[in-house]
Amino acid sequence: MLNVPQRKPHNTPRPHASARCLLAAIGTVLLGGILSHSGLAQVARTQAVAKLAVPKDQVVAMHAVLKRPRPTAPAEVDRSALVEKDTFNTDQGPGPGPIGPGPGCDVFPAPASIGTAVPLSYFGPPPSTKNQSLVGPVQLLNTGPIDVANGTITIPLYLGHMKGTGKNVWYILTDVDDSDVADELGLNFSAKMTFMGLAVRTANFDDNGDLIFDKGTVDFSPVRSVVPGPPGTEFPPVSAKPGAIGDVNYSPYVQVVNAANVIYNAPIVAFGVDASQINFPNGNVDYSKVHDEVMAIDPYNMTVTIQLINGFSFGRPVWYMSMDASIPLSAAIEHNTFAPLMQKLHLGDDDSFSSPIERIFIATNGPEKGGCNNPLRQGLSADLADGHRPNNTVGGIPTLALDYSPAWDANLYAWTQDAIDQDFRGQLREEFNILTFVQDKLLTGLGGAAFGSAGFSINCPIVLRLD
């Protein structure tokens, strides 16, 4: 496995001082049931390795290691049980990782040496090592090492407390609306987070530098369960229940009042438990106490390992996290926490003034025949049919655009029957390609409705651009 050099963890963030709907037509159940991202299947992870500042003399060896068809999961976590059972829609935990058994479930790019007369060792570093806007891999969330072989990231775990009760709040940090804080802590910068308004909860630092949260709790004890629709139309599901439920005041977005009102993306990964109850440094996590996307958690060394998910941004493969959703159906499919306060995010305006969101484009009836062996595999029905994530397409991310936000406004789309009959259906990886197909009437909103915001959002911090 390859580990990217890790920044020294900050046990407490130290911010600077800068700084509709379709739901009604579709129904809450239909709506909530979307999203699940990831893909998973080949090998050749060398470019990503190079992009992660790996010395050239390690690249060839790393490529050989990554050629294994089914990489094993970290520590004691048994991924094969999640992938190969027929119970993946009721299994607790994160589900399959981003390295799947076929090209339809893996977005990792092939090495540059394919089809050439020279070995990979002859190639120089990717252009992204010179300029992050150029082609090549770039780690965007820089708070800890990425395990390229298993598709996870290990980042600092933080401990705060609830005002009044003093209950423990175990959380992570991924994004912030202050660029200086982002640079200092290795977080993603998102200017749009400044406009999150009523969708944020509040907190203050105490004398020890720990965050004291005013409101917002999460219950991780519910059992996640999704019952798909019939074969070929698995989405929308018959029923869906999330495995973690926040109270009416819970949102992952937190404004620190006594530190310049800076807004952080700080998803809760465990709540109301002490360190001994969530000590799973080698996996085998108790998901009645911990977020479903957690692969391992070490409350003594203050680290947590999070599952990553496959997707695309402007045609480039990416890995990201999926932590929270504003409706139960999406939270259930996404292995996420249902965060009711996220419903107060203003959706539908994308990049206009005061918009807090960026769009995520989710196929509902994309290609699913053949499962992970199908290189065009995409969509929610495919997700519910085989348990792997749907290969969603997101809008702007750092290094490609200025409009990144971890709050993704879900834009569901469906291929028209006419497009399907003419064999036009395929895998779509780029925002404006999708919008053009909508304009050309090859795609519509769910159930033939007008295309646009589906009325809910997902908290999906970007982690790694793979190319």
Side-chain angles (χ1 to χ4, degrees):
M1 99 173 41
L2 172 70
N3 285 333
V4 182
Q6 183 176 14
R7 292 169 57 100
K8 182 178 179 180
H10 294 69
N11 286 335
T12 304
R14 295 176 288 108
H16 293 303
S18 70
R20 113 281 134 333
C21 283
L22 200 51
L23 257 182
I26 300 173
T28 306
V29 175
L30 178 63
L31 199 51
I34 102 176
L35 269 196
S36 286
H37 344 10
S38 189
L40 328 117
Q42 302 168 352
V43 205
R45 318 202 167 270
T46 317
Q47 276 189 322
V49 172
K51 119 190 190 133
L52 300 179
V54 180
K56 192 184 234 185
D57 60 358
Q58 297 179 21
V59 170
V60 175
M62 184 62 216
H63 179 63
V65 171
L66 290 174
K67 286 176 66 176
R68 292 172 298 177
R70 301 217 37 191
T72 56
E76 303 168 29
V77 181
D78 182 4
R79 284 191 189 276
S80 64
L82 294 175
V83 176
E84 295 170 2
K85 293 188 301 182
D86 291 332
T87 58
F88 46 76
N89 282 316
T90 55
D91 287 330
Q92 308 308 296
I99 304 166
C105 298
D106 192 341
V107 303
F108 212 102
S113 58
I114 297 297
T116 69
V118 294
L120 183 65
S121 60
Y122 281 39
F123 284 77
S128 59
T129 60
K130 178 69 174 178
N131 182 333
Q132 291 188 342
S133 68
L134 300 178
V135 172
V138 180
Q139 183 170 348
L140 299 165
L141 179 63
N142 284 297
T143 56
I146 291 175
D147 180 349
V148 181
N150 289 296
T152 62
I153 185 171
T154 299
I155 59 177
L157 175 68
Y158 296 89
L159 175 60
H161 305 281
M162 288 300 299
K163 182 179 180 181
T165 66
K167 289 185 176 181
N168 288 341
V169 181
W170 303 90
Y171 65 97
I172 60 175
L173 296 175
T174 59
D175 310 89
V176 65
D177 73 340
D178 184 296
S179 60
D180 291 333
V181 177
D183 288 342
E184 179 192 9
L185 298 182
L187 305 177
N188 293 315
F189 167 63
S190 171
K192 285 185 171 182
M193 290 180 65
T194 298
F195 303 113
M196 286 185 164
L198 297 177
V200 302
R201 54 197 175 103
T202 54
N204 286 274
F205 286 110
D206 65 8
D207 291 342
N208 296 319
D210 297 327
L211 280 182
I212 306 300
F213 298 90
D214 294 324
K215 296 178 181 178
T217 64
V218 176
D219 178 6
F220 290 100
S221 66
V223 177
R224 172 186 173 270
S225 177
V226 179
V227 178
T233 56
E234 290 84 357
F235 182 83
V238 174
S239 65
K241 298 178 181 179
I245 300 175
D247 67 17
V248 294
N249 297 306
Y250 175 66
S251 165
Y253 312 120
V254 179
Q255 187 170 45
V256 183
V257 177
N258 65 347
N261 285 312
V262 170
I263 297 175
Y264 292 86
N265 190 2
I268 292 177
V269 295
F271 180 83
V273 290
D274 61 35
S276 66
Q277 294 174 284
I278 57 170
N279 186 36
F280 306 105
N282 297 315
N284 287 332
V285 175
D286 181 352
Y287 290 110
S288 69
K289 297 181 175 65
V290 177
H291 195 292
D292 275 355
E293 291 295 329
V294 170
M295 295 297 296
I297 184 169
D298 187 340
Y300 296 106
N301 290 307
M302 299 302 286
T303 62
V304 59
T305 300
I306 304 291
Q307 175 85 78
L308 299 180
I309 295 167
N310 287 334
F312 303 99
S313 176
F314 292 100
R316 300 193 186 185
V318 298
W319 280 352
Y320 61 94
M321 300 181 195
S322 185
M323 301 300 295
D324 310 88
S326 67
I327 58 174
L329 184 52
S330 179
I333 296 180
E334 282 292 301
H335 305 250
N336 279 350
T337 297
F338 169 41
L341 194 60
M342 285 176 61
Q343 295 171 359
K344 293 186 178 295
L345 281 172
H346 178 64
L347 306 178
D349 290 346
D350 202 6
D351 296 336
S352 63
F353 171 65
S354 80
S355 172
I357 53 89
E358 181 63 353
R359 292 198 279 184
I360 184 169
F361 302 90
I362 305 163
T364 60
N365 63 345
E368 63 174 290
K369 184 178 180 180
C372 291
N373 290 327
N374 183 351
L376 300 181
R377 178 191 172 280
Q378 188 170 50
L380 293 174
S381 281
D383 178 322
L384 295 176
D386 59 33
H388 291 268
R389 300 303 180 93
N391 295 328
N392 295 321
T393 299
V394 302
I397 62 171
T399 71
L400 297 183
L402 300 175
D403 55 359
Y404 166 73
S405 172
W408 297 101
D409 184 359
N411 283 222
L412 278 64
Y413 66 87
W415 290 90
T416 66
Q417 189 59 51
D418 184 55
I420 295 172
D421 291 343
Q422 297 186 72
D423 290 330
F424 291 166
R425 180 168 52 172
Q427 186 182 81
L428 302 180
R429 300 184 172 194
E430 199 272 326
E431 174 178 354
F432 289 97
N433 185 206
I434 294 171
L435 299 181
T436 300
F437 281 17
V438 170
Q439 177 180 269
D440 293 341
K441 304 188 185 310
L442 299 173
L443 306 175
T444 69
L446 198 56
F451 173 82
S453 174
F456 70 97
S457 64
I458 310 132
N459 179 32
C460 296
I462 192 72
V463 174
L464 175 67
R465 197 187 84 201
L466 291 167
D467 203 352

